[in-house]
Amino acid sequence: MPAQTETTPVINIAVLKARPGQRVALAAALIELVAPTRDEQGCLDYTLFELANEPGTFYMRESFADQGAFQVHIATPHFKAFQRRFDELLGAPLRLIGLRKLA
């Protein structure tokens, strides 16, 4: 398998579980991230899903051109503002699953 390099696209699935009673607030906060993130240079995909059989569990599929673009994303004001709300909104730590495209 090819090794990850600085110019390899960064592809992740972020799994976010709402704290009890925070499903609507978490969904709104995640939806607010979509447009500004898609406008970031280097963002290839940023799509939000909610598990059909588990309301309150969200999946964000995200792809960035490279590690640098991903680092820029997590340093943006809109992501930092969301990150400050983790304790309020999340019932479990954010889980970031790194993927490698094979086909």
Side-chain angles (χ1 to χ4, degrees):
M1 299 230 181
Q4 181 85 12
T5 68
E6 287 187 23
T7 58
T8 301
V10 173
I11 305 165
N12 297 311
I13 299 287
V15 182
L16 304 106
K17 294 183 182 242
R19 180 178 293 283
Q22 294 296 318
R23 176 182 171 260
V24 172
L26 178 56
L30 290 167
I31 289 167
E32 285 181 22
L33 285 176
V34 173
T37 300
R38 286 180 180 166
D39 286 342
E40 293 172 23
Q41 186 173 353
C43 178
L44 305 174
D45 178 42
Y46 204 72
T47 305
L48 178 62
F49 302 89
E50 184 175 26
L51 262 171
N53 63 347
E54 196 177 310
T57 298
F58 300 91
Y59 284 62
M60 185 71 79
R61 184 181 66 205
E62 56 183 36
S63 299
F64 294 90
D66 54 32
Q67 186 62 34
F70 177 69
Q71 292 301 317
V72 166
H73 165 66
I74 61 174
T76 60
H78 52 270
F79 185 81
K80 289 287 194 187
F82 173 66
Q83 191 175 38
R84 285 190 293 275
R85 297 185 67 196
F86 279 6
D87 288 342
E88 167 196 349
L89 298 173
L90 300 181
L94 181 148
R95 182 170 174 221
L96 195 61
I97 302 167
L99 303 174
R100 183 174 39 243
K101 186 175 180 179
L102 298 179

